[in-house]
Amino acid sequence: MSGSGSGSGSGSGSDVQPPVGIDELLERVRAGYERMEPQEAYAAAEAGDALLVDIRYAALRERDGLIPGALVVERNELEWRLDPQGSHRAAEATSHSLRVVVICNEGYASSLAAQSLHQLGLYRATDLVGGFQAWKASGLPVV
């Protein structure tokens, strides 16, 4: 039968999206929420209105330092630790309305991580423009 897609090897066809490059993917993901600049994230955390979450791997944290008060969660554990309904959640993961600011090294992986948190219902999740390096360059606290 012509046009049915059967036998074409392409699956069902209707729900298969064409491939996109990482730059386009990041653009699409970031269009779905407001990202935060370092000073804005610092002020929100200081006011108790945001949880800073550092997803950098250990070698980067050891090399460059830590943001005081940030929750350190390895990227591969992020969804389990921040899901308010999860059995492995961090004590800070109290609600889907929690404002989470995900921080990676330069602000790329954190965008994808924030999108993943949105999929879990953490609708206020965002990430830090420029990541930890921008935070440090802004002269904000690092230990």
Side-chain angles (χ1 to χ4, degrees), residues 33-98:
Y33 62 90
E34 294 285 327
R35 301 179 78 208
M36 293 184 89
E37 295 290 337
Q39 292 289 349
E40 181 185 9
Y42 175 73
E46 286 291 299
D49 186 41
L51 174 64
L52 305 179
V53 179
D54 186 344
I55 64 168
R56 295 174 301 141
Y57 53 88
L60 289 177
R61 295 191 312 266
E62 290 168 9
R63 182 188 77 189
D64 294 336
L66 298 168
I67 296 172
L71 176 65
V72 174
V73 178
E74 296 280 342
R75 173 62 190 101
N76 63 325
E77 298 178 358
L78 183 68
E79 292 81 0
W80 285 266
R81 303 289 287 145
L82 291 182
D83 178 2
Q85 299 174 343
S87 59
H88 293 84
R89 72 175 182 85
E92 295 86 347
T94 56
S95 163
H96 284 97
S97 63
L98 180 66

Side-chain angles (χ1 to χ4, degrees), residues 2-25:
S2 177
S4 70
S6 62
S8 68
S10 63
S12 66
S14 63
D15 53 356
V16 175
Q17 298 294 319
V20 298
I22 188 62
D23 293 331
E24 184 178 342
L25 179 61

